[in-house]
Amino acid sequence: MIGEAPGGVDVHTANSARIYDYMLGGKDNFAADREAAERIVRVFPESRDGVRGNREFLGKVVRHLAGEIGIRQFVDIGAGLPTRNNVHQVAHSVDPAARTVYVDNDPVVCVHGRALLAKTSTVAMVNGDVRKPEDIHAKVSQTGLIDWNRPVGLLMVAMLHFVDEPHEHVARLREMVAPGSYLAITHLTTTGERGDDTERLRQIYSRTNTPVLPRSTEEINLFFGDFELLDTSHFIPPHLIRRFASLGWGGVARKR
């Protein structure tokens, strides 16, 4: 996107998906996104490593679910722009027949994603909002790639902190997946020692299309409901967990 903007794209307002893309070293971003990202880095110097660590966490989770657990279908909600080591690529490295549906509520992200994924028959991208679980369920079903009656890897990585009061919607999505399914979440956290910095981060994101809402680890844990939290220490390396410590928290849980 650097240079020319597709029709209908607001290049003057920073966009969370494009900020994330810039932090990962991507090219699908504009000056407003890069300026916002650099302001974030000044507040949280570790944020660039945090974003990359978040991406690595996602890859480790998908590889574990596909390889060790045998999950063959994934639904990635709030997927953002396709970048390196996407969910379907990691899953395909285990089984080329694994199926992935990406969901995002940004129409421009969806158009861009569909263009990049057009030639991959086991992958689809749909426009959906986590605040409308039934709509997501219906649209994902319409792709013909996901069987909701079988275990699924449900991914909500670095997106729930952009949603106001999402617990009820996540609970509805938990109800929709079959027993043996897995839920993976990462989320920005609030900590007392970084309270001032977190407030400055809120101010930066308030000028974007998606204000940010960090939560406590207790609030994040509630997203998993009665799912059984996994001990991730055997497939998430310690250095990656340390990267999360100052900015966010991640977890994986299984529906019994």
Side-chain angles (χ1 to χ4, degrees):
M1 287 186 190
I2 292 178
E4 274 186 53
V9 176
D10 179 4
V11 303
H12 304 295
T13 302
N15 172 284
S16 60
R18 298 195 304 258
I19 291 172
Y20 191 75
D21 175 76
Y22 173 71
M23 293 275 205
L24 287 171
K27 297 181 179 179
D28 295 316
N29 50 77
F30 301 107
D33 309 306
R34 297 189 287 275
E35 290 167 8
E38 292 302 332
R39 288 198 297 273
I40 292 168
V41 170
R42 285 195 290 273
V43 174
F44 281 104
E46 66 272 48
S47 58
R48 187 174 272 112
D49 280 344
V51 165
R52 292 169 181 169
N54 184 77
R55 195 72 185 177
E56 188 179 347
F57 179 92
L58 174 62
K60 297 287 187 187
V61 168
V62 172
R63 188 174 301 280
H64 176 73
L65 294 183
E68 302 299 321
I69 307 299
I71 298 293
R72 291 295 179 266
Q73 49 181 11
F74 295 88
V75 177
D76 185 0
I77 300 177
L81 291 163
T83 181
R84 289 170 287 189
N85 297 321
N86 296 292
V87 169
H88 74 279
Q89 293 169 323
V90 176
H92 283 172
S93 71
V94 176
D95 182 354
R99 302 172 305 284
T100 303
V101 176
Y102 296 106
V103 182
D104 203 280
N105 67 347
D106 186 328
V108 175
V109 166
C110 290
V111 169
H112 191 75
R114 289 188 191 111
L116 290 174
L117 303 170
K119 296 181 180 179
T120 312
S121 61
T122 57
V123 184
M125 187 156 205
V126 301
N127 183 257
D129 193 313
V130 72
R131 294 167 293 189
K132 299 178 180 178
E134 284 76 13
D135 181 60
I136 287 178
H137 187 277
K139 288 180 176 177
V140 169
S141 297
Q142 288 165 11
T143 67
L145 295 177
I146 303 298
D147 179 357
W148 290 105
N149 294 312
R150 297 183 63 81
V152 63
L154 186 61
L155 313 170
M156 301 184 202
V157 173
M159 57 79 60
L160 288 171
H161 46 241
F162 295 118
V163 184
D164 188 27
E165 299 183 1
H167 284 90
E168 180 182 342
H169 310 308
V170 175
R172 183 72 186 105
L173 285 162
R174 290 199 311 269
E175 293 171 2
M176 292 176 175
V177 299
S181 294
Y182 288 78
L183 172 62
I185 290 173
T186 65
H187 197 296
L188 283 174
T189 55
T190 54
T191 58
E193 63 271 17
R194 300 299 293 270
D196 291 343
D197 291 340
T198 300
E199 182 55 36
R200 289 169 65 192
L201 185 67
R202 286 178 189 266
Q203 291 170 8
I204 293 168
Y205 269 102
S206 70
R207 304 181 199 122
T208 75
N209 67 334
T210 46
V212 69
L213 300 161
R215 294 183 171 92
S216 68
T217 54
E218 290 79 10
E219 290 175 300
I220 298 167
N221 259 310
L222 291 175
F223 288 121
F224 294 103
D226 62 356
F227 280 28
E228 180 185 7
L229 276 166
L230 302 190
D231 175 4
T232 60
S233 60
H234 65 290
F235 64 93
I236 304 294
H239 76 274
L240 191 50
I241 297 299
R242 285 195 295 272
R243 283 192 207 175
F244 273 116
S246 61
L247 287 175
W249 187 87
V252 186
R254 177 180 181 271
K255 184 169 185 176
R256 292 179 249 217

Short mmCIF file of all heavy atoms in Angstrom, two decimals, residues 85-132:
data_model
loop_
_atom_site.label_atom_id
_atom_site.label_comp_id
_atom_site.label_asym_id
_atom_site.label_seq_id
_atom_site.Cartn_x
_atom_site.Cartn_y
_atom_site.Cartn_z
N ASN A 85 4.13 -15.96 7.84
CA ASN A 85 3.76 -17.03 8.78
C ASN A 85 2.30 -16.93 9.21
O ASN A 85 1.98 -16.93 10.40
CB ASN A 85 4.68 -17.01 10.00
CG ASN A 85 6.12 -17.28 9.63
OD1 ASN A 85 6.41 -18.12 8.79
ND2 ASN A 85 7.04 -16.56 10.26
N ASN A 86 1.42 -16.83 8.20
CA ASN A 86 0.00 -16.79 8.48
C ASN A 86 -0.48 -18.14 9.02
O ASN A 86 0.18 -19.16 8.86
CB ASN A 86 -0.77 -16.43 7.21
CG ASN A 86 -0.43 -15.04 6.71
OD1 ASN A 86 -0.77 -14.05 7.34
ND2 ASN A 86 0.25 -14.97 5.57
N VAL A 87 -1.66 -18.13 9.63
CA VAL A 87 -2.20 -19.34 10.25
C VAL A 87 -2.26 -20.49 9.24
O VAL A 87 -1.84 -21.61 9.54
CB VAL A 87 -3.61 -19.07 10.84
CG1 VAL A 87 -4.29 -20.38 11.25
CG2 VAL A 87 -3.50 -18.13 12.03
N HIS A 88 -2.78 -20.24 8.05
CA HIS A 88 -2.92 -21.33 7.09
C HIS A 88 -1.57 -21.86 6.64
O HIS A 88 -1.42 -23.06 6.38
CB HIS A 88 -3.76 -20.88 5.88
CG HIS A 88 -3.06 -19.95 4.93
ND1 HIS A 88 -2.95 -18.59 5.17
CD2 HIS A 88 -2.44 -20.18 3.75
CE1 HIS A 88 -2.30 -18.03 4.16
NE2 HIS A 88 -1.98 -18.96 3.29
N GLN A 89 -0.56 -21.00 6.58
CA GLN A 89 0.77 -21.45 6.17
C GLN A 89 1.38 -22.36 7.23
O GLN A 89 2.00 -23.38 6.91
CB GLN A 89 1.67 -20.24 5.90
CG GLN A 89 1.23 -19.44 4.69
CD GLN A 89 1.94 -18.10 4.58
OE1 GLN A 89 2.20 -17.44 5.59
NE2 GLN A 89 2.27 -17.69 3.36
N VAL A 90 1.22 -21.99 8.49
CA VAL A 90 1.75 -22.83 9.57
C VAL A 90 1.00 -24.16 9.60
O VAL A 90 1.60 -25.23 9.71
CB VAL A 90 1.62 -22.10 10.93
CG1 VAL A 90 2.08 -23.02 12.06
CG2 VAL A 90 2.42 -20.81 10.93
N ALA A 91 -0.34 -24.10 9.48
CA ALA A 91 -1.13 -25.33 9.49
C ALA A 91 -0.78 -26.22 8.30
O ALA A 91 -0.68 -27.44 8.44
CB ALA A 91 -2.62 -24.99 9.48
N HIS A 92 -0.56 -25.61 7.14
CA HIS A 92 -0.22 -26.39 5.94
C HIS A 92 1.15 -27.04 6.05
O HIS A 92 1.41 -28.06 5.40
CB HIS A 92 -0.26 -25.48 4.70
CG HIS A 92 -1.64 -25.20 4.22
ND1 HIS A 92 -1.92 -24.27 3.23
CD2 HIS A 92 -2.84 -25.70 4.62
CE1 HIS A 92 -3.21 -24.22 3.04
NE2 HIS A 92 -3.80 -25.08 3.87
N SER A 93 2.03 -26.46 6.86
CA SER A 93 3.35 -27.09 7.04
C SER A 93 3.23 -28.43 7.77
O SER A 93 4.11 -29.27 7.68
CB SER A 93 4.28 -26.15 7.82
OG SER A 93 3.90 -26.05 9.19
N VAL A 94 2.09 -28.61 8.48
CA VAL A 94 1.81 -29.88 9.15
C VAL A 94 0.97 -30.77 8.25
O VAL A 94 1.25 -31.96 8.08
CB VAL A 94 1.10 -29.64 10.50
CG1 VAL A 94 0.72 -30.97 11.16
CG2 VAL A 94 1.96 -28.81 11.43
N ASP A 95 -0.09 -30.18 7.67
CA ASP A 95 -0.99 -30.93 6.80
C ASP A 95 -1.53 -29.98 5.72
O ASP A 95 -2.30 -29.06 6.04
CB ASP A 95 -2.16 -31.51 7.60
CG ASP A 95 -3.11 -32.33 6.75
OD1 ASP A 95 -2.95 -32.37 5.51
OD2 ASP A 95 -4.03 -32.95 7.32
N PRO A 96 -1.14 -30.16 4.47
CA PRO A 96 -1.59 -29.27 3.39
C PRO A 96 -3.10 -29.22 3.21
O PRO A 96 -3.62 -28.31 2.58
CB PRO A 96 -0.92 -29.87 2.14
CG PRO A 96 0.26 -30.62 2.65
CD PRO A 96 -0.18 -31.17 3.98
N ALA A 97 -3.81 -30.19 3.79
CA ALA A 97 -5.27 -30.21 3.68
C ALA A 97 -5.96 -29.44 4.80
O ALA A 97 -7.19 -29.31 4.79
CB ALA A 97 -5.77 -31.65 3.67
N ALA A 98 -5.21 -28.92 5.77
CA ALA A 98 -5.81 -28.16 6.87
C ALA A 98 -6.54 -26.94 6.31
O ALA A 98 -6.10 -26.32 5.34
CB ALA A 98 -4.73 -27.73 7.85
N ARG A 99 -7.65 -26.59 6.95
CA ARG A 99 -8.51 -25.52 6.43
C ARG A 99 -8.53 -24.34 7.42
O ARG A 99 -8.57 -24.54 8.63
CB ARG A 99 -9.93 -26.05 6.21
CG ARG A 99 -9.95 -27.22 5.23
CD ARG A 99 -11.31 -27.88 5.13
NE ARG A 99 -11.85 -28.34 6.42
CZ ARG A 99 -11.44 -29.41 7.07
NH1 ARG A 99 -10.45 -30.16 6.58
NH2 ARG A 99 -12.01 -29.76 8.21
N THR A 100 -8.52 -23.14 6.85
CA THR A 100 -8.50 -21.92 7.66
C THR A 100 -9.49 -20.91 7.10
O THR A 100 -9.54 -20.68 5.89
CB THR A 100 -7.10 -21.28 7.67
OG1 THR A 100 -6.14 -22.22 8.16
CG2 THR A 100 -7.08 -20.03 8.54
N VAL A 101 -10.28 -20.30 7.99
CA VAL A 101 -11.12 -19.16 7.61
C VAL A 101 -10.70 -17.97 8.46
O VAL A 101 -10.69 -18.05 9.69
CB VAL A 101 -12.62 -19.45 7.81
CG1 VAL A 101 -13.44 -18.19 7.50
CG2 VAL A 101 -13.07 -20.59 6.89
N TYR A 102 -10.32 -16.91 7.79
CA TYR A 102 -9.98 -15.65 8.45
C TYR A 102 -11.23 -14.77 8.53
O TYR A 102 -12.03 -14.72 7.59
CB TYR A 102 -8.89 -14.92 7.67
CG TYR A 102 -7.57 -15.64 7.61
CD1 TYR A 102 -7.14 -16.27 6.44
CD2 TYR A 102 -6.73 -15.69 8.72
CE1 TYR A 102 -5.92 -16.93 6.38
CE2 TYR A 102 -5.51 -16.34 8.67
CZ TYR A 102 -5.12 -16.96 7.50
OH TYR A 102 -3.90 -17.62 7.45
N VAL A 103 -11.37 -14.07 9.65
CA VAL A 103 -12.51 -13.19 9.87
C VAL A 103 -11.99 -11.82 10.29
O VAL A 103 -11.13 -11.72 11.18
CB VAL A 103 -13.45 -13.73 10.99
CG1 VAL A 103 -14.65 -12.82 11.17
CG2 VAL A 103 -13.88 -15.15 10.68
N ASP A 104 -12.48 -10.76 9.66
CA ASP A 104 -12.11 -9.41 10.08
C ASP A 104 -13.28 -8.48 9.79
O ASP A 104 -14.05 -8.71 8.84
CB ASP A 104 -10.86 -8.93 9.34
CG ASP A 104 -10.13 -7.83 10.11
OD1 ASP A 104 -10.57 -6.67 10.03
OD2 ASP A 104 -9.15 -8.14 10.82
N ASN A 105 -13.42 -7.43 10.62
CA ASN A 105 -14.53 -6.50 10.43
C ASN A 105 -14.16 -5.29 9.59
O ASN A 105 -14.97 -4.38 9.42
CB ASN A 105 -15.09 -6.05 11.78
CG ASN A 105 -14.12 -5.19 12.58
OD1 ASN A 105 -12.94 -5.10 12.24
ND2 ASN A 105 -14.61 -4.56 13.63
N ASP A 106 -12.93 -5.25 9.07
CA ASP A 106 -12.48 -4.14 8.23
C ASP A 106 -12.65 -4.56 6.77
O ASP A 106 -11.96 -5.46 6.29
CB ASP A 106 -11.01 -3.83 8.52
CG ASP A 106 -10.51 -2.60 7.78
OD1 ASP A 106 -10.99 -2.35 6.66
OD2 ASP A 106 -9.62 -1.91 8.31
N PRO A 107 -13.58 -3.92 6.02
CA PRO A 107 -13.84 -4.33 4.63
C PRO A 107 -12.60 -4.26 3.75
O PRO A 107 -12.42 -5.11 2.87
CB PRO A 107 -14.91 -3.33 4.15
CG PRO A 107 -15.52 -2.79 5.40
CD PRO A 107 -14.45 -2.81 6.44
N VAL A 108 -11.74 -3.26 3.98
CA VAL A 108 -10.54 -3.13 3.16
C VAL A 108 -9.59 -4.28 3.42
O VAL A 108 -8.98 -4.85 2.51
CB VAL A 108 -9.86 -1.76 3.41
CG1 VAL A 108 -8.54 -1.67 2.66
CG2 VAL A 108 -10.79 -0.63 3.01
N VAL A 109 -9.44 -4.65 4.70
CA VAL A 109 -8.61 -5.81 5.06
C VAL A 109 -9.14 -7.06 4.37
O VAL A 109 -8.37 -7.87 3.83
CB VAL A 109 -8.59 -6.00 6.59
CG1 VAL A 109 -8.02 -7.38 6.96
CG2 VAL A 109 -7.76 -4.90 7.25
N CYS A 110 -10.46 -7.23 4.34
CA CYS A 110 -11.05 -8.42 3.73
C CYS A 110 -10.81 -8.46 2.22
O CYS A 110 -10.49 -9.52 1.66
CB CYS A 110 -12.55 -8.48 4.02
SG CYS A 110 -12.92 -8.82 5.76
N VAL A 111 -10.97 -7.33 1.55
CA VAL A 111 -10.72 -7.28 0.11
C VAL A 111 -9.27 -7.62 -0.18
O VAL A 111 -8.96 -8.42 -1.08
CB VAL A 111 -11.07 -5.87 -0.45
CG1 VAL A 111 -10.56 -5.72 -1.87
CG2 VAL A 111 -12.57 -5.65 -0.41
N HIS A 112 -8.37 -7.02 0.58
CA HIS A 112 -6.94 -7.27 0.40
C HIS A 112 -6.62 -8.74 0.67
O HIS A 112 -5.88 -9.38 -0.08
CB HIS A 112 -6.15 -6.37 1.35
CG HIS A 112 -4.68 -6.33 1.09
ND1 HIS A 112 -4.12 -5.65 0.04
CD2 HIS A 112 -3.66 -6.90 1.75
CE1 HIS A 112 -2.81 -5.80 0.06
NE2 HIS A 112 -2.49 -6.56 1.10
N GLY A 113 -7.19 -9.28 1.74
CA GLY A 113 -6.94 -10.67 2.10
C GLY A 113 -7.46 -11.64 1.05
O GLY A 113 -6.77 -12.59 0.68
N ARG A 114 -8.67 -11.38 0.54
CA ARG A 114 -9.23 -12.27 -0.49
C ARG A 114 -8.36 -12.28 -1.74
O ARG A 114 -8.18 -13.32 -2.38
CB ARG A 114 -10.65 -11.83 -0.84
CG ARG A 114 -11.66 -12.10 0.27
CD ARG A 114 -13.08 -11.83 -0.19
NE ARG A 114 -14.00 -11.85 0.94
CZ ARG A 114 -14.62 -10.78 1.41
NH1 ARG A 114 -14.42 -9.59 0.86
NH2 ARG A 114 -15.44 -10.89 2.44
N ALA A 115 -7.82 -11.11 -2.09
CA ALA A 115 -6.97 -11.03 -3.28
C ALA A 115 -5.70 -11.87 -3.10
O ALA A 115 -5.27 -12.58 -4.02
CB ALA A 115 -6.61 -9.57 -3.56
N LEU A 116 -5.12 -11.81 -1.91
CA LEU A 116 -3.89 -12.56 -1.65
C LEU A 116 -4.13 -14.06 -1.52
O LEU A 116 -3.25 -14.87 -1.81
CB LEU A 116 -3.22 -12.04 -0.37
CG LEU A 116 -2.60 -10.64 -0.44
CD1 LEU A 116 -2.11 -10.22 0.93
CD2 LEU A 116 -1.46 -10.59 -1.44
N LEU A 117 -5.34 -14.42 -1.08
CA LEU A 117 -5.63 -15.83 -0.80
C LEU A 117 -6.45 -16.51 -1.89
O LEU A 117 -6.85 -17.66 -1.74
CB LEU A 117 -6.38 -15.93 0.53
CG LEU A 117 -5.67 -15.33 1.76
CD1 LEU A 117 -6.63 -15.28 2.95
CD2 LEU A 117 -4.43 -16.11 2.10
N ALA A 118 -6.71 -15.79 -2.98
CA ALA A 118 -7.65 -16.25 -4.00
C ALA A 118 -7.32 -17.62 -4.57
O ALA A 118 -8.21 -18.38 -4.93
CB ALA A 118 -7.74 -15.22 -5.14
N LYS A 119 -6.05 -17.98 -4.66
CA LYS A 119 -5.65 -19.23 -5.31
C LYS A 119 -5.47 -20.38 -4.33
O LYS A 119 -4.99 -21.45 -4.69
CB LYS A 119 -4.36 -19.00 -6.10
CG LYS A 119 -4.53 -18.02 -7.25
CD LYS A 119 -3.23 -17.85 -8.03
CE LYS A 119 -3.41 -16.86 -9.18
NZ LYS A 119 -2.13 -16.67 -9.93
N THR A 120 -5.86 -20.16 -3.06
CA THR A 120 -5.68 -21.20 -2.04
C THR A 120 -7.04 -21.78 -1.69
O THR A 120 -7.84 -21.14 -1.00
CB THR A 120 -5.01 -20.63 -0.78
OG1 THR A 120 -3.86 -19.86 -1.17
CG2 THR A 120 -4.58 -21.72 0.16
N SER A 121 -7.31 -23.00 -2.14
CA SER A 121 -8.66 -23.57 -2.03
C SER A 121 -9.04 -23.93 -0.59
O SER A 121 -10.23 -24.10 -0.29
CB SER A 121 -8.78 -24.81 -2.91
OG SER A 121 -7.85 -25.80 -2.51
N THR A 122 -8.07 -24.09 0.29
CA THR A 122 -8.37 -24.48 1.67
C THR A 122 -8.44 -23.28 2.62
O THR A 122 -8.48 -23.45 3.83
CB THR A 122 -7.30 -25.46 2.19
OG1 THR A 122 -6.02 -24.82 2.07
CG2 THR A 122 -7.31 -26.76 1.42
N VAL A 123 -8.47 -22.08 2.05
CA VAL A 123 -8.45 -20.86 2.85
C VAL A 123 -9.53 -19.89 2.34
O VAL A 123 -9.77 -19.80 1.13
CB VAL A 123 -7.09 -20.15 2.79
CG1 VAL A 123 -7.07 -18.93 3.72
CG2 VAL A 123 -5.97 -21.11 3.17
N ALA A 124 -10.19 -19.19 3.27
CA ALA A 124 -11.17 -18.18 2.89
C ALA A 124 -11.07 -17.01 3.87
O ALA A 124 -10.53 -17.15 4.97
CB ALA A 124 -12.58 -18.75 2.90
N MET A 125 -11.59 -15.86 3.44
CA MET A 125 -11.65 -14.69 4.32
C MET A 125 -13.06 -14.13 4.26
O MET A 125 -13.61 -13.94 3.16
CB MET A 125 -10.63 -13.64 3.92
CG MET A 125 -10.54 -12.49 4.91
SD MET A 125 -8.93 -11.66 4.83
CE MET A 125 -8.84 -10.95 6.48
N VAL A 126 -13.66 -13.86 5.43
CA VAL A 126 -15.01 -13.32 5.48
C VAL A 126 -15.04 -12.06 6.33
O VAL A 126 -14.22 -11.88 7.23
CB VAL A 126 -16.02 -14.35 6.03
CG1 VAL A 126 -16.03 -15.61 5.17
CG2 VAL A 126 -15.74 -14.70 7.48
N ASN A 127 -15.99 -11.21 6.02
CA ASN A 127 -16.18 -9.99 6.78
C ASN A 127 -17.10 -10.31 7.96
O ASN A 127 -18.25 -10.72 7.77
CB ASN A 127 -16.80 -8.91 5.90
CG ASN A 127 -16.96 -7.59 6.64
OD1 ASN A 127 -18.06 -7.24 7.05
ND2 ASN A 127 -15.89 -6.87 6.82
N GLY A 128 -16.60 -10.16 9.19
CA GLY A 128 -17.40 -10.47 10.36
C GLY A 128 -16.89 -9.74 11.58
O GLY A 128 -15.73 -9.34 11.65
N ASP A 129 -17.77 -9.57 12.56
CA ASP A 129 -17.46 -8.82 13.77
C ASP A 129 -17.69 -9.72 14.97
O ASP A 129 -18.75 -10.36 15.08
CB ASP A 129 -18.39 -7.59 13.83
CG ASP A 129 -17.96 -6.58 14.87
OD1 ASP A 129 -17.67 -7.00 16.02
OD2 ASP A 129 -17.94 -5.38 14.57
N VAL A 130 -16.72 -9.77 15.89
CA VAL A 130 -16.83 -10.63 17.06
C VAL A 130 -18.07 -10.29 17.89
O VAL A 130 -18.59 -11.13 18.63
CB VAL A 130 -15.55 -10.54 17.92
CG1 VAL A 130 -15.47 -9.20 18.65
CG2 VAL A 130 -15.47 -11.70 18.91
N ARG A 131 -18.59 -9.08 17.73
CA ARG A 131 -19.80 -8.67 18.46
C ARG A 131 -21.06 -9.28 17.85
O ARG A 131 -22.16 -9.09 18.40
CB ARG A 131 -19.89 -7.15 18.50
CG ARG A 131 -18.78 -6.49 19.31
CD ARG A 131 -18.71 -5.01 19.09
NE ARG A 131 -18.30 -4.69 17.73
CZ ARG A 131 -17.99 -3.46 17.30
NH1 ARG A 131 -18.03 -2.45 18.15
NH2 ARG A 131 -17.63 -3.26 16.06
N LYS A 132 -20.91 -10.00 16.73
CA LYS A 132 -22.04 -10.67 16.08
C LYS A 132 -21.68 -12.14 15.85
O LYS A 132 -21.42 -12.57 14.72
CB LYS A 132 -22.37 -9.97 14.75
CG LYS A 132 -22.79 -8.51 14.92
CD LYS A 132 -23.05 -7.86 13.58
CE LYS A 132 -23.47 -6.39 13.76
NZ LYS A 132 -23.69 -5.74 12.44
#
